[in-house]
């Protein structure tokens, strides 16, 4: 068993501002607003949440290898 990481650093694809965020352990976050440029980030095609697309660590359900959002 491996520990699930709940801290992920989200990097904005527009302005490259990075911010460390704590992920919910049992849910996905679909939208994330960059605090620097106010860009509303959404997951890339094939990804279930913004952490999988832009974060340094994938979301907890993916880390646990369970299906996340279907
Ligand atoms: Zn930004």
């Amino acid at each position: 068993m491996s520990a699930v990481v709940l801290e992920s650093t989200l990097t904005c694809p527009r302005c490259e501002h990075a911010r460390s965020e704590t992920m919910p352990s049992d849910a996905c976050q679909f939208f994330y607003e960059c605090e620097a440029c106010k860009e509303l980030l959404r997951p890339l095609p094939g990804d279930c949440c913004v952490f999988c697309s832009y974060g340094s660590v994938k979301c907890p359900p993916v880390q646990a290898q369970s299906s996340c959002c279907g």
Side-chain angles (χ1 to χ4, degrees), residues 7-61:
E7 282 275 314
S8 185
T9 301
L10 278 170
T11 303
C12 173
R14 180 174 165 194
C15 72
E16 300 195 328
H17 178 79
R19 183 183 161 91
S20 195
E21 295 285 351
T22 301
M23 298 182 281
S25 60
D26 58 350
C28 287
Q29 186 172 338
F30 199 79
F31 295 108
Y32 177 81
E33 187 185 89
C34 172
E35 63 173 358
C37 70
K38 306 302 180 189
E39 177 85 345
L40 189 62
L41 307 184
R42 282 174 234 216
L44 297 171
D47 284 337
C48 63
C49 70
V50 289
F51 293 108
C52 291
S53 293
Y54 307 110
S56 59
V57 179
K58 294 197 181 287
C59 69

